Amino acid sequence: METIKQKYLTNTWYVAALSTDLDGETLFKRTLLETPVVMYRKDDGTPVALHDRCPHRFVPLSMGRRDGDQVVCAYHGLAFDCSGRCTRNPHGNGKIPAAAAVRTYPLIERHGFLWIWMGDAPADESALPDYSRLDEGHANGIAHTYMKRPCHYELITDNVMDLSHVDHLHGEIITTRGQLSPQVPKLNEVDGAVGVRWEWEQTPPILIFNDFLPEPGKTARHFLEVTWTAPTNIQLTIGATQDPAAPLALDSTIGQYDLHACTPENEDSTHYFFATRRNHHEQDGEFNRMKIAGMHAAFADEDGPILDAVHQNMGTTDFLSLNPVLISSDLGPVRVRRLLRQRIDAEQAAAATPPSGRPALVQAG
Ligand code: FES
Ligand SMILES: [Fe+2]
């Protein structure tokens, strides 16, 4: 019998929502890894996440109402606290059935995002990489955004790991003027993280930085680096300088540090979150709003339609099964796909093996 391949890495942290999505009142619902989840803030502000399904007749709890830190189901009024325990049954003698419990999910708040752990293994806070660079600087120097796309999440990861497409796909604001494609990107793998880096010169400089350089319009050296960590998180650093002695690093260039994170809704739909922290013109709130709106539009109008069409055209989520033509720019994305698959397979194998080391399930034939 053929084993069904596990679709997603689950013992890991995914972005579930922006911090600003939970306003303290509403029950916020979102499907993550094919599981409906309801999130809200307790009265003290702590965010919590529960399976969005009443164990009685499976109504979404998000259709119910808050009662302090508890949720009351809209259909027959069972109440649940945020540990998932049923605390009130208004029916009959009021006895609470032993099975009346809702699964909860560990949720932590970092860098303007809420991160959820969907797997069965104990949540491990130390498994969330350090993205604290997002927190360093003025409040108007960072912005977050979210969009949902009708494509498989790995297509978005591929897209960010292979930025040679910026030469071809993107318009005047972020074009790299054909400078990335001739390069064979440098791959750097450390502790399961995969980095890809490009360095180049262009004239005029990339327009998002041009006006902040000493000589707008004149040649500048640029660098761009992406670093993936499982499951779907990519740190992106980009900078430009006209100082011939400056190292190509964020602290010595006009640049920005971004985090891109994808969470599968299902195999055909992805929640895409990103945040950007810039190191220039940090205090201008209006500029900040324009900046994130421009980044959002670049993806929504330029990358998004391509990835949606790719998803439709492939007719499968197993990219490598189609024997794609691979070119030098695919080094990073393909490495990431293989590493992620290894992690998912390892998780699946561990789940099938009890602590005693004996297989949990022996399948015939
Ligand atoms: S479905 Fe929730 S109380 Fe009946
Ligand atoms: Fe793009």
Side-chain angles (χ1 to χ4, degrees):
M1 182 192 285
E2 199 190 340
T3 313
I4 295 176
K5 282 196 163 218
Q6 185 177 320
K7 294 181 198 168
Y8 313 111
L9 194 65
T10 65
N11 293 320
T12 189
W13 296 102
Y14 286 95
V15 175
L18 303 178
S19 284
T20 49
D21 286 331
L22 301 197
D23 58 12
E25 293 289 322
T26 15
L27 297 169
F28 183 84
K29 64 170 183 164
R30 179 163 279 160
T31 299
L32 307 165
L33 281 58
E34 305 182 21
T35 305
V37 174
V38 58
M39 291 170 267
Y40 60 96
R41 286 189 193 278
K42 290 167 36 179
D43 287 341
D44 69 2
T46 313
V48 293
L50 282 73
H51 192 188
D52 191 14
R53 197 172 82 161
C54 177
H56 175 223
R57 284 188 170 269
F58 312 117
V59 166
L61 291 172
S62 56
M63 293 178 79
R65 64 178 173 82
R66 294 276 305 270
D67 176 8
D69 287 347
Q70 307 192 53
V71 182
V72 181
C73 181
Y75 203 8
H76 310 94
L78 290 180
F80 300 90
D81 68 15
C82 43
S83 70
R85 202 170 53 93
C86 181
T87 52
R88 189 170 67 245
N89 172 10
H91 300 267
N93 64 5
K95 191 164 177 293
I96 292 173
V102 180
R103 179 168 179 176
T104 62
Y105 298 97
L107 196 64
I108 53 179
E109 189 159 25
R110 298 235 181 111
H111 321 305
F113 296 113
L114 295 157
W115 303 81
I116 195 165
W117 183 280
M118 306 283 291
D120 292 329
D124 175 7
E125 281 204 29
S126 71
L128 183 64
D130 180 9
Y131 304 126
S132 54
R133 180 111 208 185
L134 284 174
D135 306 330
E136 294 166 8
H138 193 276
N140 287 339
I142 183 167
H144 297 74
T145 193
Y146 161 79
M147 73 186 79
K148 189 154 98 164
R149 288 312 301 194
C151 68
H152 189 256
Y153 69 101
E154 286 182 283
L155 295 177
I156 300 183
T157 310
D158 289 347
N159 184 60
V160 184
M161 289 306 289
D162 168 19
L163 292 169
S164 70
H165 78 265
V166 180
D167 278 348
H168 309 279
L169 177 64
H170 286 290
E172 194 57 19
I173 303 292
I174 57 170
T175 182
T176 37
R177 302 192 186 281
Q179 299 301 304
L180 302 191
S181 304
Q183 299 190 31
V184 177
K186 293 180 190 69
L187 218 63
N188 180 27
E189 203 170 315
V190 183
D191 294 337
V194 177
V196 183
R197 184 178 169 94
W198 296 262
E199 295 180 3
W200 74 101
E201 274 188 8
Q202 72 175 73
T203 318
I206 194 162
L207 291 189
I208 50 172
F209 302 143
N210 183 54
D211 290 350
F212 304 101
L213 289 164
E215 295 186 277
K218 298 273 175 59
T219 304
R221 292 184 301 130
H222 297 63
F223 80 99
L224 179 51
E225 194 165 308
V226 284
T227 305
W228 169 88
T229 40
T232 54
N233 304 320
I234 303 177
Q235 299 168 80
L236 184 159
T237 313
I238 180 169
T241 179
Q242 291 168 326
D243 174 354
L248 285 176
L250 186 57
D251 291 336
S252 47
T253 56
I254 295 291
Q256 66 192 56
Y257 169 87
D258 303 342
L259 180 65
H260 296 246
C262 294
T263 307
E265 177 176 54
N266 54 50
E267 288 193 291
D268 301 307
S269 176
T270 300
H271 303 290
Y272 185 19
F273 303 87
F274 57 89
T276 182
R277 156 70 70 190
R278 66 186 181 282
N279 67 3
H280 51 281
H281 204 53
E282 283 182 89
Q283 303 194 4
D284 186 336
E286 185 50 35
F287 180 79
N288 202 37
R289 279 185 286 280
M290 274 170 40
K291 169 98 187 165
I292 194 70
M295 286 178 68
H296 187 105
F299 185 85
D301 300 342
E302 293 169 353
D303 301 271
I306 292 273
L307 302 185
D308 303 349
V310 167
H311 182 80
Q312 287 290 326
N313 237 13
M314 277 174 47
T316 171
T317 57
D318 188 353
F319 169 74
L320 294 171
S321 74
L322 295 178
N323 295 320
V325 170
L326 296 176
I327 54 180
S328 55
S329 61
D330 290 308
L331 273 174
V334 169
R335 185 67 192 136
V336 162
R337 277 182 177 268
R338 295 219 158 102
L339 283 178
L340 181 60
R341 193 65 246 172
Q342 279 171 19
R343 291 278 304 268
I344 296 172
D345 288 348
E347 188 178 288
Q348 184 169 14
T353 310
S356 70
R358 289 216 312 274
L361 187 72
V362 178
Q363 288 176 336

